[in-house]
Amino acid sequence: MSPATSRPSVSFIVPALNEERHIEKTVATILEAVAASGVSDYQIVLVDDGSTDATGRIMDQVAASRGDKIQVVHNLRNTGFGGAYKRGVTVARCDYVMIVAGDNLMPATSITTVLDQLGKADIILPYMADMKQRPLGRRIGSWGFATVINTLFGFHVHYYNSMVPRRALLNKITINTEGYALQAETIVKLLKAGYSYVEISVPHGMTVRGGSSALRVKNLVNLFKDLCALMKEVRR
């Protein structure tokens, strides 16, 4: 299927939990990336996912200074990465949807690198050019995760934890998980449906501050359950 437009627009979804120190800088980074790109329009959806610090208040202040380019969604309780993303999608209005973590660790140059690929395929799949920037445990986890999914579903994708799909495609599938398998579930379902994709390596970014909560035992168990459910659903 053909991509949307040659100069598409993009909605950035920024999930954040207690990121009062970083959220304003994250917005500034996104704006810098947009200014250096060729996108026709943009929107920033800030999702305050049940923060207990000043994150939500700062989001409201930033949005008030930017007019209709920034929308804020407040979750009364923490819904997790998947829940925050899906809530943000309900507000998104542009051609593509891109996740940017609220900790401001993805530099503007890497975001611009991704934005320059919009319009070339239905789904843009970024991955880090140099995985050695990440801790060894996270490198092993990412490699193992991608290997398992590629083996189960017959793909050859580098990385399943970053995606920029056309927004309209998200209405064509049902995303069940609320956890860390959300992007993998989305990518698998869209690729199985035959939509086009392009992978793009970025020099920096796509990491998290400190240790990853995805590697906690509870989250790993939930991840395994989500993958089993996805395999059953896709193979029906």
Side-chain angles (χ1 to χ4, degrees):
M1 297 184 180
S2 60
T5 62
S6 57
R7 289 178 60 83
S9 59
V10 57
S11 292
F12 298 94
I13 297 180
V14 185
L17 173 65
N18 296 334
E19 293 288 358
E20 61 181 5
R21 294 173 54 195
H22 309 293
I23 192 62
E24 193 168 1
K25 294 178 182 178
T26 301
V27 173
T29 297
I30 292 173
L31 293 174
E32 180 184 346
V34 167
S37 73
V39 297
S40 61
D41 195 10
Y42 74 95
Q43 172 197 27
I44 301 175
V45 181
L46 303 175
V47 183
D48 170 22
D49 195 27
S51 297
T52 56
D53 64 1
T55 297
R57 176 175 56 80
I58 295 171
M59 285 179 172
D60 289 335
Q61 292 172 347
V62 171
S65 68
R66 289 285 173 176
D68 62 355
K69 291 296 185 184
I70 300 180
Q71 283 74 45
V72 180
V73 177
H74 296 281
N75 290 337
L76 296 180
R77 63 176 183 83
N78 178 249
T79 62
F81 175 82
Y85 175 76
K86 289 193 281 189
R87 182 79 187 279
V89 168
T90 65
V91 181
R93 55 171 174 75
C94 294
D95 297 322
Y96 283 83
V97 178
M98 180 174 183
I99 306 169
V100 177
D103 55 9
N104 195 39
L105 281 187
M106 190 170 188
T109 51
S110 292
I111 296 175
T112 301
T113 297
V114 176
L115 296 181
D116 288 343
Q117 300 299 311
L118 301 185
K120 295 184 179 181
D122 295 311
I123 316 153
I124 313 302
L125 299 179
Y127 65 94
M128 287 183 68
D130 183 10
M131 291 295 287
K132 291 182 180 179
Q133 298 177 54
R134 312 184 85 190
L136 179 61
R138 286 183 58 78
R139 297 205 306 266
I140 294 173
S142 294
W143 173 83
F145 188 52
T147 299
V148 167
I149 296 177
N150 285 332
T151 301
L152 288 175
F153 301 103
F155 298 135
H156 300 281
V157 171
H158 284 84
Y159 191 67
Y160 281 93
N161 287 318
S162 184
M163 63 176 184
V164 188
R166 286 199 286 128
R167 179 177 57 84
L169 301 185
L170 298 176
N171 296 325
K172 298 179 181 295
I173 61 173
T174 299
I175 304 174
N176 297 311
T177 182
E178 300 285 333
Y180 290 97
L182 177 137
Q183 294 188 93
E185 177 187 0
T186 304
I187 293 168
V188 167
K189 288 182 175 179
L190 292 179
L191 296 190
K192 282 293 185 181
Y195 294 105
S196 62
Y197 73 96
V198 61
E199 294 187 275
I200 174 69
S201 65
V202 297
H204 303 93
M206 297 192 304
T207 186
V208 294
R209 217 173 283 275
S212 171
S213 59
L215 298 180
R216 295 172 184 166
V217 173
K218 178 181 177 181
N219 290 329
L220 288 174
V221 170
N222 289 334
L223 186 64
F224 176 76
K225 291 179 179 178
D226 287 338
L227 285 180
C228 289
L230 176 61
M231 186 170 60
K232 290 180 181 178
E233 181 181 356
V234 171
R235 292 188 172 185
R236 283 176 185 168

